[in-house]
Amino acid sequence: MPFINQLQHWAAARPHRPAVVVGTESLDFAALRDGAAGMGHGDRTLTIIDRHASTALAVEFCAAVAGGGVAAVLESTWPAALRASIAAQASSWAMTLPTPVPSDMGFFDGPPDSTFLLGLSSGTSGLPKAFTRSRESWRASFVHSVDYFGLAEGCITLAPGPMAASMNLYALGEAIHSGTTFVALPSFSPDAALAAIMHHAVTRLVLVPSVLGLLARRGLESGRGPGSLTSIVCAGSALPDTILEQARRWAPNARIDFYYGASELGFVAATRGTEPADAAPRTDSTTVESWGAPAAGRAFPGAELAVLGPTGALLGLEEIGSVYVRSPYVSNGYAWGDDGLSFSAATSGNQDAVQRSGQWFTVHDQGYLRGDGVLHLVGRAQDMVITSGSNVYPQQVEQALEGHPADGTVVVTGIADPIRGQRLVAGLVAGTLPMDDFLRACRERAARLPAHQRPTLYFALSRSPLSAGGKPSRTLLREWITAKGAHAQRIY
């Protein structure tokens, strides 16, 4: 199961408790159960859900995954042509699936090992990759995440990002599983999120770091506090210390948890709010330079971690390599778009190297383990910039260039260069500092870095280059720079 049997349970035990709230719309558990059961999607192989954030989306999602059904939820902000292409590809993929047998139909959870979700990677252009998940992968995740993040009776979760995003769909399922309330926004703005926090007495936030920064900054500027908020769960990209400090000033009584994972892997590692950021300096020769790589935390309950080198050898403590995980939370792999670079399993040789049974998986994030079991992330292998033969991780440079979170945001990437191979460039989004002052501050900080880690070009950005899920998109930044349009204006 993922959560349909639990929905049946809570519809009987807590029929009038709000289950899903989106804007002015609200459904209690009984209404959510009755609405989804009445749609009768359990006899379909695949249901493609293409609608704006609403309680109707939640109803259709529950209906689609009942029995042996599979759901694909499209992001409503993607262009219509892209959504149509995804729908066509998904329909073709569904033709390869077996027809559900009568015993797998109806409004209940289907077989644990059966597929229930066709997930989509976020992107800005081109057909996104699609991965599939078994019901058991979410069920196993719920068992641990509800306990780890402290979802208790009375919990009200706000996920202010798009409902179609993987982490927000999971938050919806997690709330249904635990019999608590899920709140979403018809459309995002910091003011709308702050208003929802107060109006619905939200106790828990689930969001990406960039959105947390926007909320905390706006809350401090406008004098609007966190209300009943006691828990903040952040994921999707590294949580900068500057945003963490800002969030703690805005919501001093809320526990801030961070977890590292991926749509394809599920939960990998996590840091509880009571633990320090713990970004220990690196000085050995396996690191690019001495710097504090952000801590992702220790292995999430039920998961095991290993770091492997390019040849598949198990690396020692504080040696940088690809982060692998073994857990019941991992997806089934790709339905389409598998290029072997984003998600892959360890080969039999790699498994021998770690000297453990079972299969290990990676999305090729780079990191290292310390003796205390804490995983530190350096960056994604696909984000790494190779300039004049030196490896540079953009995240490292961004951390070095950014000062106070209110000053502005830095996004670093590489663009093609005939001499260097790639040239390191930085995009700046000014905050409270005027752009000229922000640029000057960034260049002063860059001067303290090794030469190959200093951006050679700076661009003023019209807005932060974010994916549909609210994560920084270096691909989008490169597209803006290449287009030479209004989104990225060269300033140095």
Side-chain angles (χ1 to χ4, degrees):
M1 71 174 216
F3 52 79
I4 299 301
N5 290 352
Q6 284 294 98
L7 174 56
Q8 294 273 34
H9 168 74
W10 296 121
R14 302 174 181 173
H16 303 302
R17 178 189 172 92
V20 181
V21 179
V22 184
T24 59
E25 304 173 351
S26 179
L27 290 176
D28 59 28
F29 276 97
L32 178 61
R33 187 268 318 272
D34 293 345
M39 295 191 74
H41 282 187
D43 59 344
R44 294 187 190 176
T45 303
L46 173 69
T47 301
I48 299 171
I49 303 172
D50 184 4
R51 61 169 73 236
H52 294 284
S54 61
T55 55
L57 190 155
V59 170
E60 191 166 6
F61 183 53
C62 291
V65 303
V70 182
V73 185
L74 308 187
E75 170 51 54
S76 62
T77 61
W78 286 348
L82 176 59
R83 302 203 310 274
S85 296
I86 295 170
Q89 183 70 32
S91 297
S92 297
W93 169 80
M95 296 294 290
T96 67
L97 300 179
T99 302
V101 299
S103 61
D104 288 342
M105 298 177 186
F107 196 70
F108 50 78
D109 287 317
D113 61 349
S114 62
T115 296
F116 84 98
L117 180 66
L118 181 67
L120 300 166
S121 62
S122 61
T124 57
S125 62
L127 195 69
K129 296 179 177 68
F131 61 91
T132 65
R133 279 201 162 276
S134 71
R135 288 169 168 80
E136 177 59 22
S137 70
W138 266 24
R139 187 210 64 80
S141 297
F142 291 152
V143 169
H144 288 293
S145 69
V146 167
D147 178 66
Y148 189 90
F149 297 120
L151 272 76
E153 184 175 354
C155 179
I156 301 174
T157 297
L158 169 63
M163 284 184 72
S166 294
M167 67 182 293
N168 298 330
L169 276 182
Y170 181 85
L172 169 62
E174 184 183 52
I176 295 173
H177 172 87
S178 59
T180 58
T181 301
F182 174 84
V183 180
L185 302 177
S187 60
F188 172 76
S189 73
D191 287 328
L194 291 170
I197 288 171
M198 299 303 295
H199 182 74
H200 301 296
V202 168
T203 62
R204 177 175 179 257
L205 282 176
V206 175
L207 70 183
V208 297
S210 59
V211 174
L212 175 59
L214 291 173
L215 291 190
R217 182 186 308 171
R218 182 60 179 153
L220 291 170
E221 290 174 349
S222 63
R224 283 178 286 180
S228 302
L229 198 64
T230 58
S231 171
I232 299 173
V233 179
C234 208
S237 61
L239 177 58
D241 287 341
T242 51
I243 290 181
L244 180 60
E245 182 271 335
Q246 194 173 49
R248 283 176 171 158
R249 286 194 291 118
W250 172 62
N253 297 321
R255 188 180 92 172
I256 303 176
D257 296 325
F258 171 80
Y259 75 82
Y260 157 62
S263 298
E264 299 90 340
L265 299 178
F267 293 109
V268 177
T271 300
R272 289 190 183 276
T274 55
E275 295 176 350
D278 191 18
R282 298 293 317 286
T283 57
D284 61 87
S285 60
T286 61
T287 186
V288 178
E289 294 292 341
S290 299
W291 66 295
R298 294 176 174 83
F300 194 79
E304 298 175 76
L305 302 177
V307 178
L308 306 183
T311 63
L314 180 65
L315 299 183
L317 297 177
E318 302 199 12
E319 289 186 297
I320 294 173
S322 293
V323 178
Y324 280 77
V325 64
R326 181 172 66 178
S327 82
Y329 317 139
V330 177
S331 71
N332 298 330
Y334 289 119
W336 69 75
D338 185 5
D339 55 10
L341 302 176
S342 301
F343 170 73
S344 58
T347 66
S348 58
N350 290 347
Q351 292 178 47
D352 291 340
V354 295
Q355 297 180 340
R356 299 173 184 170
S357 62
Q359 205 161 21
W360 295 76
F361 297 88
T362 184
V363 291
H364 302 284
D365 283 345
Q366 304 295 288
Y368 59 89
L369 285 166
R370 287 180 47 191
D372 57 5
V374 173
L375 173 68
H376 290 253
L377 296 176
V378 175
R380 287 215 160 181
Q382 63 191 38
D383 288 337
M384 186 176 70
V385 177
I386 303 177
T387 179
S388 299
S390 297
N391 297 342
V392 179
Y393 291 98
Q395 184 184 38
Q396 174 185 2
V397 181
E398 291 164 359
Q399 286 180 299
L401 266 56
E402 287 185 341
H404 190 277
D407 293 348
T409 302
V410 180
V411 182
V412 173
T413 190
I415 59 175
D417 183 89
I419 297 175
R420 303 174 180 86
Q422 285 181 293
R423 169 179 286 204
L424 199 66
V425 301
L428 309 184
V429 182
T432 56
L433 282 181
M435 181 58 76
D436 288 347
D437 293 341
F438 188 38
L439 171 62
R440 186 179 304 110
C442 288
R443 293 190 60 232
E444 288 174 356
R445 297 184 186 107
R448 297 193 287 267
L449 295 173
H452 65 274
Q453 294 180 337
R454 301 171 194 162
T456 59
L457 298 176
Y458 289 82
F459 295 83
L461 306 183
S462 61
R463 59 181 174 85
S464 293
L466 301 177
S467 69
K471 302 176 186 179
S473 172
R474 295 183 177 86
T475 299
L476 183 58
L477 174 58
R478 287 193 294 272
E479 291 176 357
W480 286 354
I481 292 172
T482 302
K484 298 181 180 180
H487 285 306
Q489 298 285 324
R490 182 177 170 182
I491 53 175
Y492 182 83

